[in-house]
Amino acid sequence: MKKIINDPSTVVEESLRGMASAHPDLIRVQLDPAVVVRADAPVSRKVAVISGGGAGHEPMHGGFVGKGMLDAACPGHVFTSPTPDQVQAALAMTDGGVGALLIVKNYTGDVLNFETAAELAEADDIEVRTVVIDDDVAVTDSLYTAGRRGVGGTLLLEKVVGAAAERGVDLDGCEALARKVIGQVRSMGLALASGIVPHAGVPGFTLADDEIELGIGIHGEPGRRRVPLGTADEMVKSLLDPILEDLPFAEGDRVLLFTNSMGGTPLIELYLAHGIAERLLAERGIVVERRLVGPFVTSLEMQGMSLTLLRLDDELVDLWDAPVHTAALRWGV
Amino acid sequence: MACSAHGVAVVMRAASQMLEEHRVELSTLDREIGDGDHGENMNRGFGALVAALERDAPDSPGGVLKLVATTLISKVGGAAGPLYGTAFLRAATAVKDASELDAGLVAKALRAALDGVIARGKAERGDKTMVDALLPAVQAAEEAAERGEDVPVLLRVAADAAAEGADSTVLVLARKGRASYLGERSIGHMDPGARSTALLLRTFADVASGAR
């Protein structure tokens, strides 16, 4: 393992310190318990939008803290959910008096810790609502599984709901909007090579030169299936087809297409893949109205990509276009 | 033989040492079917617990168990933090303010811990989780208490049952937690949570019998 680190056990803390020095205009960082909050928090009479999850997915979530998106992010250890006291601290630091919406990715650890935090918040007189995002179509939903994972769609959810909260939409409205977005966003990812968790020092899984993992999550876990490496066209199709079938998306649908690098795939390949995805969608008569391309929801240096499709309407387009001023997403300001 | 607050604290220090020794093993098990941090997280949590016990050791077994719970919840993260935290919290509640734990109370605490884990994690036996180790352990402990065995024997039979339960997870398809995302590929790997549960019970038993 070669990484620019001092000590595996202090990676997250040192990274947060650096992030604070890089963006003093946008965020403040507290270290114990670890919370990233927008510089002007708490914003009076504004619903606080809070998310969190393990570190290792940068820029998610700290990179999405700021005007028009998240009020706070709670970073856990690498690939480990945050603890309830981090969420409690985030709630206290962002409480504008009109409640908070917690955006949780559907992973057992995240759900359990946020659930515990929400229970504790009741005692602090902060009205808290929780939404769980589960956009990953790689995991079939059934009685027996813990359900789908929350992956790339989380960013789109945070942007849209963050914009609504910034405009003064109340807690009920923010929660309803979040549920609407969760209902119409779908993702799937693949990996060409695993990332390396700093304290493990070895890859989460190893693949032969001619293999890929299809249906990966964002925590270095192996995917749903191991399949032969194909052409870029074939790989993009293998992500897009299950997404399109799942909702299902239909001819004439307006969508936002988010082409995401898992961290180790460079933009030259990502743009190439994005172009293929746009072409395949056009062939199906699906109208790509908005797009986002880049490494936003990553898994350390995992090589690979994910595609996320959000079905749009005028309300969602308007909220997507609304100004956002964060470390990783910035427009309209 | 009964177990005092000091005894519970000694057990927890031994558990911390054990988790340090098994840190890599647990993370490796977790890497095969999850995300590879279970050993790291448990080691961090129990390390923080030892530090907390240094600062202020509670004077009742229930008090120590509650300190275990709150420390694990705030330091472990992942699914293990809330699950083990809930287990120890329920155990603390079950023994109330008893100054010493006899076999009956230990069995009661273990049952409460199991109920807490099931309530939080919504897992059943056979889902390939820590329940597969904890549930048979609790049954064995309750039977031992019925028979009038003392604490060391009770913990030994519980640890034996937990080890067997953890072994049984190897052949099972995961239906809960991150391993469930692997589907059939989760078969052939031991569940790391079941393994850590078995290791903890083995440590409790070893300390109680003077073997550790």
Side-chain angles (χ1 to χ4, degrees):
Chain A
M1 172 179 72
K2 280 195 278 187
K3 288 181 188 285
I4 303 169
I5 62 175
N6 289 317
D7 174 351
S9 66
T10 59
V11 166
V12 176
E13 187 181 323
E14 288 190 65
S15 179
L16 286 172
R17 280 184 206 280
M19 193 182 176
S21 17
H23 305 287
D25 54 327
L26 299 175
I27 55 168
R28 279 181 288 137
V29 172
Q30 174 187 286
L31 288 177
D32 191 22
V35 185
V36 180
V37 292
R38 55 190 274 178
D40 56 352
V43 183
S44 178
R45 313 307 297 164
K46 174 192 171 303
V47 170
V49 183
I50 297 171
S51 192
H57 309 304
E58 287 69 20
M60 183 163 81
H61 291 278
F64 308 146
V65 174
K67 203 164 276 184
M69 213 161 162
L70 295 179
D71 290 82
C74 309
H77 289 268
V78 174
F79 293 169
T80 300
S81 65
T83 56
D85 51 340
Q86 287 177 263
V87 182
Q88 262 190 305
L91 284 164
M93 293 166 85
T94 59
D95 181 23
V98 288
L101 183 72
L102 302 179
I103 296 177
V104 183
K105 297 186 296 304
N106 192 29
Y107 275 98
T108 309
D110 291 84
V111 172
L112 293 183
N113 282 285
F114 276 95
E115 202 174 78
T116 308
E119 277 174 32
L120 294 168
E122 280 173 27
D124 292 341
D125 277 340
I126 299 175
E127 191 178 3
V128 175
R129 305 275 175 77
T130 303
V131 290
V132 177
I133 174 156
D134 54 355
D135 55 315
D136 184 3
V137 304
V139 178
T140 31
D141 222 351
S142 84
L143 278 177
Y144 302 107
T145 67
R148 301 162 179 264
R149 297 173 288 217
V151 287
T154 315
L155 177 156
L156 310 185
L157 174 62
E158 290 171 0
K159 169 67 185 80
V160 166
V161 175
E166 200 70 51
R167 284 180 181 171
V169 173
D170 67 10
L171 189 54
D172 284 338
C174 287
E175 184 189 3
L177 176 66
R179 295 196 189 283
K180 170 175 151 179
V181 172
I182 291 167
Q184 49 203 57
V185 65
R186 298 290 186 273
S187 301
M188 181 140 163
L190 62 79
L192 311 179
S194 163
I196 298 177
V197 178
H199 58 239
V202 292
F205 54 86
T206 46
L207 290 169
D209 278 350
D210 57 354
E211 287 177 331
I212 63 168
E213 285 274 352
L214 193 58
I216 45 138
I218 53 173
H219 295 86
E221 67 268 48
R224 202 56 184 175
R225 278 186 296 137
R226 194 162 285 193
V227 299
L229 174 74
T231 61
D233 275 50
E234 287 162 354
M235 283 190 273
V236 171
K237 198 168 178 312
S238 71
L239 296 183
L240 207 48
D241 283 351
I243 293 173
L244 292 171
E245 281 157 26
D246 190 88
L247 191 55
F249 290 86
E251 190 176 345
D253 275 352
R254 307 156 61 191
V255 299
L256 185 159
L257 170 63
F258 169 29
T259 305
N260 176 57
S261 163
M262 302 310 297
T265 286
L267 282 173
I268 184 171
E269 292 168 45
L270 202 64
Y271 280 129
L272 188 156
H274 181 82
I276 294 168
E278 289 230 18
R279 192 191 77 222
L280 292 173
L281 287 168
E283 284 170 12
R284 297 230 193 179
I286 292 168
V287 186
V288 179
E289 277 200 4
R290 293 292 183 273
R291 51 281 274 176
L292 182 70
V293 184
F296 288 104
V297 181
T298 64
S299 194
L300 297 171
E301 69 273 51
M302 174 184 273
Q303 262 183 291
M305 62 171 291
S306 63
L307 289 177
T308 299
L309 230 53
L310 169 65
R311 186 187 281 161
L312 293 172
D313 57 19
D314 290 341
E315 181 193 23
L316 295 184
V317 170
D318 184 42
L319 289 166
W320 179 256
D321 289 346
V324 59
H325 195 193
T326 68
L329 280 190
R330 191 175 301 200
W331 58 73
V333 287
Chain B
M1 191 207 114
C3 188
S4 64
H6 175 71
V8 180
V10 170
V11 163
M12 294 306 157
R13 286 198 191 91
S16 172
Q17 202 185 343
M18 176 279 292
L19 285 163
E20 191 154 355
E21 291 159 14
H22 289 270
R23 180 177 65 88
V24 173
E25 180 206 330
L26 289 172
S27 286
T28 303
L29 285 177
D30 192 22
R31 195 161 52 249
E32 286 161 355
I33 56 172
D35 56 351
D37 61 3
H38 187 55
E40 198 64 35
N41 292 347
M42 292 296 283
N43 186 42
R44 182 175 59 242
F46 275 82
L49 172 63
V50 169
L53 285 169
E54 294 293 321
R55 282 194 301 274
D56 181 24
D59 55 11
S60 69
V64 177
L65 292 171
K66 195 171 168 202
L67 181 64
V68 178
T70 53
T71 309
L72 297 187
I73 289 172
S74 71
K75 294 295 175 195
V76 176
L83 288 173
Y84 274 115
T86 302
F88 281 103
L89 197 58
R90 296 288 181 93
T93 310
V95 304
K96 297 200 184 81
D97 44 10
S99 58
E100 294 210 318
L101 305 183
D102 60 14
L105 275 178
V106 173
K108 201 173 155 194
L110 286 169
R111 167 61 66 178
L114 171 68
D115 290 346
V117 168
I118 289 174
R120 255 280 165 251
K122 298 168 188 76
E124 294 168 16
R125 190 171 191 175
D127 283 348
K128 198 180 180 96
T129 72
M130 57 194 279
V131 170
D132 291 337
L134 193 52
L135 193 145
V138 170
Q139 288 170 344
E142 285 174 342
E143 284 160 24
E146 278 294 286
R147 291 194 304 272
E149 307 282 10
D150 62 5
V151 173
V153 172
L154 177 146
L155 286 173
R156 182 168 53 73
V157 297
D160 291 346
E164 210 172 297
D167 287 344
S168 77
T169 65
V170 174
L171 296 175
V172 170
L173 176 80
R175 292 191 296 223
K176 287 282 169 190
R178 215 164 272 178
S180 67
Y181 301 132
L182 295 185
E184 302 212 332
R185 290 170 66 181
S186 67
I187 294 172
H189 302 283
M190 187 185 295
D191 178 65
R195 174 67 174 151
S196 62
T197 295
L199 285 169
L200 281 170
L201 283 164
R202 178 66 65 203
T203 305
F204 298 171
D206 285 351
V207 174
S209 67
R212 178 157 184 144

